[in-house]
Amino acid sequence: MDRRPRFGPAGIPPVFKFMKATLSDIPRLLREEGLDAFEYEAVQWGKKPQMRKEEAQKLEVEAKRNDVWLSLHGSYFINFCGEKAIVEASKQRLIACATAAEWMSAHVVVFHPGFYGKKSPMEALKTCTEALEDVVENMVSLGIRNVRIGPETMGRTYQLGSLDEALNLCETVERTQLVVDWSHLHARDRGCFRTVEDFRKVAGRIENRLGTDSLKTLHCHFTKIEFTDKGERRHHALQEARYGPDFRLLARVIVEFDLKPVIISESPILDLDAIKMRDILQEELDKS
Ligand SMILES: [Zn+2]
């Protein structure tokens, strides 16, 4: 699939639901809005895929036909840092998500790595790394060939998923794809993205650790975010001026580094903010 900056919603936009659209209608409807990515939300899933294979394959066909890049957001009920039984159950949940992602030819399964709990960050990272290596081994033996697993940068200080930790997982574990949730980083570091330079520095760190290709093909989440001293509180729409970060600053870095990211809007108004971000990037491309 053509590599260029792509934009789309996390989950089915409210207006599509109102129209009673089926899952396989979504790619066409997104294309009609000028969007070209879709993150399927498997966030409530347990140990088995909660969709039929035929349904996933129909989505694949329509996504290809309409040039829509697919990803899948994995179960929220995952903690790769916890007690053994929790980690084992988490492995099964991530594998169930990867199975469905393979059915629909989604490029990446995004997931939240876990919580430190009583462990030190170092211990938590070690437990998580070992669990993910096991997941990848299992995926290979199950014939899941094309999907990558995507550790996401997390917004709360008690969650594993600082930028460094996500980078570390991607350096160590095969078949990973870094997922940068810029809003989470902003919340975790209490409003760290104020200037273009703040975004540029993060892009530079990613390039140093994972290489230019990984930076160019980032999978991203972006919304405005409200935070407390523990980090993320709630996502907000782009139009809410009192929250950050400002997408235009990231758009300038995308132009400067010639990045081709997939940018998923997790805003309360999903597709409408995806369209807004697409247009902001286009304005910055036109200026350059
Ligand atoms: Zn997420």
Side-chain angles (χ1 to χ4, degrees), residues 21-259:
T22 65
L23 185 60
S24 57
D25 294 329
I26 304 301
R28 179 180 51 79
L29 293 170
L30 289 174
R31 185 194 173 114
E32 285 170 7
E33 288 188 316
L35 294 173
D36 47 13
F38 177 60
E39 192 147 289
Y40 179 89
E41 298 277 281
V43 296
Q44 303 293 337
W45 284 20
K47 294 181 188 176
K48 291 209 173 110
Q50 284 169 38
M51 75 189 312
R52 286 174 297 110
K53 190 173 183 179
E54 300 75 51
E55 201 186 353
Q57 287 169 332
K58 256 188 172 169
L59 177 61
E60 177 197 9
V61 169
E62 289 304 314
K64 289 216 168 103
R65 180 175 294 153
N66 292 286
D67 188 25
V68 168
W69 183 277
L70 291 181
S71 53
L72 181 145
H73 197 308
S75 176
Y76 286 151
F77 311 117
I78 279 178
N79 180 6
F80 287 119
C81 313
E83 298 303 319
K84 201 169 188 311
I86 293 172
V87 172
E88 288 309 311
S90 299
K91 287 181 191 169
Q92 291 181 32
R93 292 187 181 123
L94 189 56
I95 288 166
C97 292
T99 302
E102 180 89 358
W103 290 343
M104 64 176 75
S105 293
H107 296 265
V108 56
V109 179
V110 178
F111 68 98
H112 302 171
F115 304 89
Y116 300 124
K118 294 192 182 79
K119 291 195 166 90
S120 71
M122 282 285 277
E123 283 174 293
L125 183 63
K126 184 167 175 276
T127 312
C128 183
T129 304
E130 286 167 4
L132 292 181
E133 281 169 342
D134 205 29
V135 165
V136 171
E137 208 171 287
N138 265 292
M139 282 166 58
V140 172
S141 68
L142 289 167
I144 302 170
R145 288 188 184 82
N146 303 306
V147 179
R148 288 172 179 269
I149 53 172
E152 177 178 342
T153 59
M154 297 309 300
R156 299 186 178 98
T157 50
Y158 51 85
Q159 291 171 303
L160 182 80
S162 65
L163 178 63
D164 253 339
E165 286 162 343
L167 286 169
N168 203 300
L169 292 172
C170 292
E171 283 170 331
T172 318
V173 184
E174 300 285 313
R175 298 272 297 271
T176 42
Q177 153 85 57
L178 179 66
V179 178
V180 177
D181 187 312
W182 297 92
S183 327
H184 284 168
L185 291 178
H186 189 70
R188 189 178 183 115
D189 291 338
R190 298 187 193 87
C192 59
F193 295 122
R194 293 166 189 281
T195 64
V196 176
E197 179 58 17
D198 297 331
F199 283 97
R200 195 183 284 132
K201 265 192 223 152
V202 170
R205 270 167 76 191
I206 296 167
E207 188 170 29
N208 278 340
R209 299 272 294 269
L210 302 180
T212 304
D213 277 358
S214 296
L215 174 65
K216 290 219 170 196
T217 57
L218 276 186
H219 190 82
C220 304
H221 290 168
F222 201 101
T223 52
K224 285 201 164 180
I225 198 157
E226 182 182 348
F227 56 89
T228 66
D229 54 1
K230 286 196 175 60
E232 170 184 1
R233 183 151 186 223
R234 132 169 9 103
H235 291 290
H236 288 277
L238 288 192
Q239 68 191 22
E240 295 191 55
R242 66 198 182 105
Y243 301 109
D246 179 359
F247 180 73
R248 191 173 297 278
L249 304 177
L250 175 59
R252 289 190 183 142
V253 172
I254 292 172
V255 174
E256 184 182 318
F257 284 77
D258 188 28
L259 306 184

Side-chain angles (χ1 to χ4, degrees), residues 260-280:
K260 316 287 182 196
V262 175
I263 296 172
I264 299 296
S265 161
E266 286 188 322
S267 123
I269 53 170
L270 296 171
D271 54 330
L272 302 181
D273 270 353
I275 291 167
K276 207 172 263 179
M277 290 193 282
R278 177 201 70 198
D279 292 348
I280 290 170

